[in-house]
């Protein structure tokens, strides 16, 4: 065999051996279900020997699968980057990459009660009308849940409607609160709910109408970061009986590789793909604008070399 051909064969063999393979376990926020499905499909076209296993849940529930249940996990992606900072770092993860944004909206059906009237100015009055059913996810399990409560507090200030927060809480029964925001979609579609506090990306992905909220209320704009800080809610902490305060802030998604990841090679390749132009394009197409350049918390010096290169 000619030397050139032999070298080519050796390099091809080495390349195949270096390519990631095996199962890749990803726990992610429910709101990442659609974009991560698309990203996983594109990723496995590039790396066909990797089998991506995704589990969607509320971000805090995802974290507790790792910290409390000790389930095997390679990648954790949260709808709120601070979930990773507070629940996983430093014991279960070293670093956290903030990679995407979103905003809160009120999603509804074309035939929801008063759908023809509701808008960004009158929605508090519409939701409090007799017979109107609205819901949100569980604040202790899902960032979308506590963000809905922050929106209500900010709306009370923005619209100058005293006691609005308490009134909205009183008129939202426990049956209208579920573990994660995507659990509520079936209730909305079946007519049990008229309105749902959820991320804009999900409303767009499901091609459903939604009320766009003012920037002072929707938790999307960095310009109003100080304004958002006026709102705060108490949620459960790391241990039973311990509570932490979540203050309003612009929403940012985070992703990390777990310290005990069974398949670190495939995990690093996936995160690199997510941060690539192709991955960012998929996030943008699904209504979740990518954050670029990304921000890193934790020990960024422990980032895998390929991720450091991708970020640079």
């Amino acid at each position: 065999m000619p030397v050139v051909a032999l070298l080519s064969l050796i390099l091809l063999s080495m390349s195949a051996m270096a390519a990631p393979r095996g199962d890749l376990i990803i726990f992610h926020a429910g709101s990442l279900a659609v974009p991560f499905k698309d990203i996983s499909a594109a990723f496995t076209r590039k790396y066909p020997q990797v089998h991506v296993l995704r589990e969607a849940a509320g971000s805090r529930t995802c974290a507790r699968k790792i910290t409390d249940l000790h389930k095997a996990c390679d990648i954790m992606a949260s709808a709120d980057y601070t979930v990773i900072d507070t629940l996983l770092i430093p014991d279960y993860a070293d670093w956290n990459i903030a990679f995407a944004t979103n905003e809160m909206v009120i999603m509804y059906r074309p035939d929801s009660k008063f759908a023809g009237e509701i808008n960004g100015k009158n929605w508090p009055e519409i939701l409090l009308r007799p017979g109107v059913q609205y819901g949100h996810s569980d604040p202790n399990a899902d960032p979308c849940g506590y963000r809905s409560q922050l929106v209500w507090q900010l709306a009370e200030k923005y619209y100058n409607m005293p006691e609005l927060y308490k009134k909205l809480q009183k008129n939202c029964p426990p049956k209208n609160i579920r573990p994660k925001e995507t659990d509520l979609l079936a209730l909305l579609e079946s007519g049990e709910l008229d309105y749902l506090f959820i991320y804009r990306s999900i409303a767009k992905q499901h091609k459903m109408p939604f009320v766009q909220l003012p920037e002072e209320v929707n938790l999307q704009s960095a310009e109003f970061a100080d304004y958002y800080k006026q709102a705060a809610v108490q949620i459960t902490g790391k241990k039973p009986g311990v509570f932490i305060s979540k203050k309003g802030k612009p929403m940012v998604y985070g992703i990390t590789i777990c310290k005990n990841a069974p398949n670190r090679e495939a995990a690093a390749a996936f995160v690199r793909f997510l941060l690539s132009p192709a991955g960012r394009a998929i996030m943008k197409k699904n209504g979740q604008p990518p954050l670029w350049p990304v921000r890193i918390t934790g020990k960024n010096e422990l980032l895998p070399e390929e991720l450091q290169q991708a970020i640079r």
Side-chain angles (χ1 to χ4, degrees), residues 166-186:
K166 290 183 179 179
K167 291 176 182 177
L168 288 170
Q169 283 189 313
K170 182 180 178 180
N171 284 276
C172 186
K175 69 181 180 68
N176 293 358
I177 303 171
R178 298 298 169 90
K180 63 179 184 293
E181 74 278 358
T182 48
D183 291 336
L184 294 158
L185 291 173

Side-chain angles (χ1 to χ4, degrees), residues 194-206:
D194 296 298
Y195 298 95
L196 173 59
F197 285 83
I198 204 162
Y199 299 130
R200 178 176 178 143
S201 63
I202 293 178
K204 293 188 71 174
Q205 289 160 14
H206 289 267

Side-chain angles (χ1 to χ4, degrees), residues 20-91:
R21 62 183 66 211
D23 290 344
L24 173 64
I25 305 167
I26 303 176
F27 295 168
H28 63 76
S31 58
L32 286 169
V34 173
F36 269 35
K37 179 182 177 181
D38 292 349
I39 288 172
S40 296
F43 176 76
T44 51
R45 285 195 294 271
K46 184 174 182 180
Y47 299 109
Q49 291 180 305
V50 177
H51 181 212
V52 180
L53 303 170
R54 297 181 296 106
E55 288 189 26
S59 297
R60 287 169 59 81
T61 299
C62 288
R64 294 192 191 288
K65 288 180 184 179
I66 298 167
T67 61
D68 299 352
L69 302 180
H70 304 291
K71 295 186 69 174
C73 177
D74 293 299
I75 291 172
M76 157 72 178
S78 172
D80 181 353
Y81 78 96
T82 64
V83 170
I84 295 173
D85 283 355
T86 57
L87 297 184
L88 297 188
I89 295 175
D91 295 333

Side-chain angles (χ1 to χ4, degrees), residues 43-279:
F43 176 76
T44 51
R45 285 195 294 271
K46 184 174 182 180
Y47 299 109
Q49 291 180 305
V50 177
H51 181 212
V52 180
L53 303 170
R54 297 181 296 106
E55 288 189 26
S59 297
R60 287 169 59 81
T61 299
C62 288
R64 294 192 191 288
K65 288 180 184 179
I66 298 167
T67 61
D68 299 352
L69 302 180
H70 304 291
K71 295 186 69 174
C73 177
D74 293 299
I75 291 172
M76 157 72 178
S78 172
D80 181 353
Y81 78 96
T82 64
V83 170
I84 295 173
D85 283 355
T86 57
L87 297 184
L88 297 188
I89 295 175
D91 295 333
Y92 300 90
D94 291 314
W95 46 264
N96 181 14
I97 299 176
F99 70 98
T101 63
N102 217 324
E103 68 179 273
M104 293 295 293
V105 301
I106 307 172
M107 187 167 74
Y108 59 95
R109 301 183 318 279
D111 63 338
S112 292
K113 293 182 179 69
F114 310 111
E117 297 180 42
I118 197 166
N119 57 46
K121 295 181 180 180
N122 67 8
W123 65 266
E125 182 265 325
I126 294 287
L127 263 56
L128 293 175
R129 287 180 182 177
V132 175
Q133 296 290 324
Y134 56 92
H136 62 82
S137 58
D138 180 1
N140 291 314
D142 183 36
C144 194
Y146 56 72
R147 283 167 173 158
S148 67
Q149 305 305 287
L150 296 170
V151 163
W152 293 0
Q153 291 183 23
L154 292 169
E156 180 177 307
K157 300 177 184 296
Y158 179 78
Y159 297 106
N160 192 24
M161 298 178 68
E163 302 296 310
L164 174 62
Y165 176 52
K166 290 183 179 179
K167 291 176 182 177
L168 288 170
Q169 283 189 313
K170 182 180 178 180
N171 284 276
C172 186
K175 69 181 180 68
N176 293 358
I177 303 171
R178 298 298 169 90
K180 63 179 184 293
E181 74 278 358
T182 48
D183 291 336
L184 294 158
L185 291 173
L187 297 182
L188 182 71
E189 292 169 351
S190 67
E192 293 185 52
L193 292 180
D194 296 298
Y195 298 95
L196 173 59
F197 285 83
I198 204 162
Y199 299 130
R200 178 176 178 143
S201 63
I202 293 178
K204 293 188 71 174
Q205 289 160 14
H206 289 267
K207 298 180 171 56
M208 295 285 280
F210 60 89
V211 177
Q212 188 163 2
L213 302 172
E215 284 192 315
E216 292 89 342
V217 175
N218 68 11
L219 299 174
Q220 187 272 334
S221 175
E223 180 182 348
F224 290 98
D226 288 338
Y227 189 89
Y228 298 155
K229 290 177 183 178
Q230 299 178 89
V233 295
Q234 296 291 313
I235 59 173
T236 53
K238 287 185 177 181
K239 299 179 180 179
V242 175
F243 295 87
I244 58 177
S245 178
K246 299 297 291 189
K247 287 189 175 182
K249 61 171 54 181
M251 61 177 69
V252 177
Y253 285 62
I255 191 167
T256 191
I257 296 175
C258 298
K259 279 186 174 182
N260 62 348
N263 195 343
R264 295 187 69 83
E265 184 181 27
F270 184 93
V271 176
R272 183 184 177 102
F273 185 83
L274 171 69
L275 301 180
S276 72

